[in-house]
Amino acid sequence: MTTDLDQLRQDLVASIDAAAGLDALEAIRVHALGKQGAITGLLKTLGGMSPEQRQAEGPRIHGLREAVTAALGARKDALEKAALDARLASEKLDMTLPVDGVPAGSVHPVSQVMDELAEIFADLGFAVASGPEIEDDWHNFTALNIPETHPARAMHDTFYLAGEHERPMVLRTHTSPVQIRTMMANKPPIRIIAPGRVYRSDSDATHTPMFHQIEGLVIDKGITLGHLKWTLETFLKAFFERDDIVLRLRPSYFPFTEPSAEVDVGFTWTNGKRVIGGSGDAAGGGWMEVLGSGMVHRKVIEAAGLDPNEWQGFAFGTGVDRLAMLKYGMDDLRPFFDGDLRWLKHYGFSALDVPTLSGGVGA
């Protein structure tokens, strides 16, 4: 038996080394290790042997199988490498030739709208500010006058980070902490917008666990609600590129502003589609909420180390994804994050569509 196994190993390894291609190698594998293969047949004989025979012959048969398997793998790697080398040697690409077409990439609508917002507010004298997406609960809640018992602090609304920290850490639920950090790091007057990603435990057609917000903040002396309304009206006219934008401010409540107002924009129905513009009280019109806003609460100004008797301000915030949906006719928030190239090809923007006030922010 030992002599036969040694001879079988020599014959199989020689055949493997001489295999000229992958098809020939596969035929040898089937002959040796297939269901009816030579080595498979030897393995089946182990069941009929006595314990002493099995102890003596089993390791030799298994060693034969392992040696043939290793030889097959090595030859396969060598043949595949040779085939790749031959292909690389035969295929040549002339990098000096002109391209066949324009690049197929697209700018995501969220990126485009953020650029549009930055362009509009830069013209109004606002700078762009940013902050960490992992925040401590003081910046995310306490400094913004959100009490310990507020529902927004609950686990079902907020993503908390595990582990031991000096303060509880969260994925920021809004970009408002950037306001606090900006007021603490800079002396007034302050005019900033803070676009960025935020996180909340929610998911449906109009909510996702991660989405984009933009906050605006103005801190100066003598700031009033009139300044807020003019700023929002000017911004929305530029964003929707219409002069007939009509706003309606409804009293509301936010912990970090007082007084607070929800901002609605008028729309009309045209050919069965909702079009932003015109008064919502007109025939066939309506109102749609687009912003939350208000005068910065005294406690928030104090938390940032400023004197509320000297400095006043207003703040506003809205969803960037929601603005994109309204402006470009999208009806579901989830495709924004699905990575579907067909959706991006339909709604995406060319890299040359750079927003400018002169050329049109939605160009």
Side-chain angles (χ1 to χ4, degrees), residues 187-201:
K187 295 182 179 180
I190 295 170
R191 291 176 178 81
I192 59 127
I193 56 169
R197 287 185 291 263
V198 297
Y199 306 84
R200 294 181 192 173
S201 183

Side-chain angles (χ1 to χ4, degrees), residues 251-264:
S252 186
Y253 168 77
F254 303 112
F256 31 82
T257 53
E258 179 59 36
S260 304
E262 298 277 8
V263 180
D264 301 333

Side-chain angles (χ1 to χ4, degrees), residues 175-226:
T175 51
S176 299
V178 179
Q179 299 181 16
I180 299 296
R181 292 183 177 276
T182 301
M183 284 191 285
M184 295 179 69
N186 301 277
K187 295 182 179 180
I190 295 170
R191 291 176 178 81
I192 59 127
I193 56 169
R197 287 185 291 263
V198 297
Y199 306 84
R200 294 181 192 173
S201 183
D202 205 353
S203 181
D204 56 39
T206 57
H207 299 85
T208 54
M210 186 277 288
F211 54 102
H212 301 82
Q213 272 193 347
I214 182 169
E215 302 268 344
L217 173 71
V218 169
I219 298 292
D220 208 334
K221 296 180 179 179
I223 299 297
T224 68
L225 270 174

Side-chain angles (χ1 to χ4, degrees), residues 98-146:
V99 296
D100 292 333
V102 297
S106 299
V107 176
H108 196 282
V110 169
S111 298
Q112 179 73 10
V113 169
M114 282 192 173
D115 288 345
E116 294 175 10
L117 298 176
E119 176 70 15
I120 292 168
F121 281 105
D123 193 61
L124 294 175
F126 284 69
V128 176
S130 61
E133 294 179 22
I134 297 177
E135 268 291 7
D136 60 71
D137 74 333
W138 187 85
H139 285 91
N140 197 79
F141 294 123
T142 307
L144 291 163
N145 196 38
I146 299 176

Side-chain angles (χ1 to χ4, degrees), residues 7 27 37 40 70 80 89 124 159 237 244 284 314 333 341 359:
Q7 185 62 48
T40 305
E80 289 178 341
L124 294 175
F159 293 107
K237 284 181 178 180
D244 60 345
F314 63 76
L333 187 60
L341 292 178

Side-chain angles (χ1 to χ4, degrees), residues 155-184:
M155 293 288 288
H156 60 76
D157 278 345
T158 299
F159 293 107
Y160 282 85
L161 274 65
E164 295 184 4
H165 308 281
E166 184 177 349
R167 293 173 176 168
M169 302 297 290
V170 303
L171 295 181
R172 67 180 182 187
T173 58
H174 45 190
T175 51
S176 299
V178 179
Q179 299 181 16
I180 299 296
R181 292 183 177 276
T182 301
M183 284 191 285
M184 295 179 69

